[in-house]
Every structure is written in structure tokens, then in C-alpha cells.
Amino acid sequence: MSVPVRLAAGEQRLALSTPSGAGADLRLASENPAIVAIEVREHGMGAADLTLVAKAPGSARVHYVNRSMLPRDPVKRAQIDYIRAASLGSFLVTVK
């Protein structure tokens, strides 16, 4: 996804599927998980499905990140500055 996405509150949408053995540990990170959360379903060997979960009305930017580039500390990992620094690209999600 690279274009703005619109979701209804409560809606879920598969946004990214990563294959096993792809090398980079590509994931999604939301700047505001209270509006748009990311649900990760691991399949082993690095494969995963990442789903956008619309939590509340508003807008949030979602970034593609290499998970290994984010801090291990979960508090720092959730900070917007760290997400933006690790961003490989992003898209806007609006929840109505």
C-alpha cells in the first residue's frame, strides 16, 4: 500500500504479507496505535501477515520498517521519532 487508506471503525484489512526467508524483517508501525493498530500473525521462518485494525476515528500514518532497526525497548519503539527514523516509506490511514 502506498496510497491513502480509508477504513470504518472496527474494520480490519490485510496490508502486507511477507514471505519466509526474505532477508529483511519487514513490518508495519503505526504512529498512533489508538487509531490504527497493526496485528501481526507470524507463520515461521520470517513469514507474516500484517493487518490494519481500525480502532477509533481519526488519521494515523503507518510506516514500513525493518523491525531490526527499531529499538528493543517497547516504550522507545512506540515513539514516533524512532518509527520515522526507521521508515522505508509510509501511507496515511483514515478511520471514519
Side-chain angles (χ1 to χ4, degrees), residues 7-95:
L7 301 172
E11 186 177 352
Q12 297 183 12
R13 185 178 301 172
L14 180 65
L16 179 66
S17 289
T18 60
S20 61
D25 195 2
L26 190 61
R27 294 293 185 259
L28 296 174
S30 174
E31 287 188 5
N32 192 338
I35 294 175
V36 178
I38 309 299
E39 180 181 289
V40 179
R41 288 197 178 105
E42 302 276 350
H43 300 295
M45 303 285 293
D49 290 331
L50 293 93
T51 301
L52 302 174
V53 180
K55 297 286 192 176
S59 293
R61 186 151 293 279
V62 174
H63 296 266
Y64 295 96
V65 296
N66 182 329
R67 185 169 59 177
S68 65
M69 299 303 292
L70 292 172
R72 292 196 185 275
D73 178 346
V75 173
K76 287 184 180 178
R77 179 181 218 126
Q79 292 176 359
I80 292 172
D81 291 343
Y82 287 102
I83 293 171
R84 288 179 180 166
S87 181
L88 301 170
S90 66
F91 56 95
L92 186 65
V93 179
T94 300
V95 178

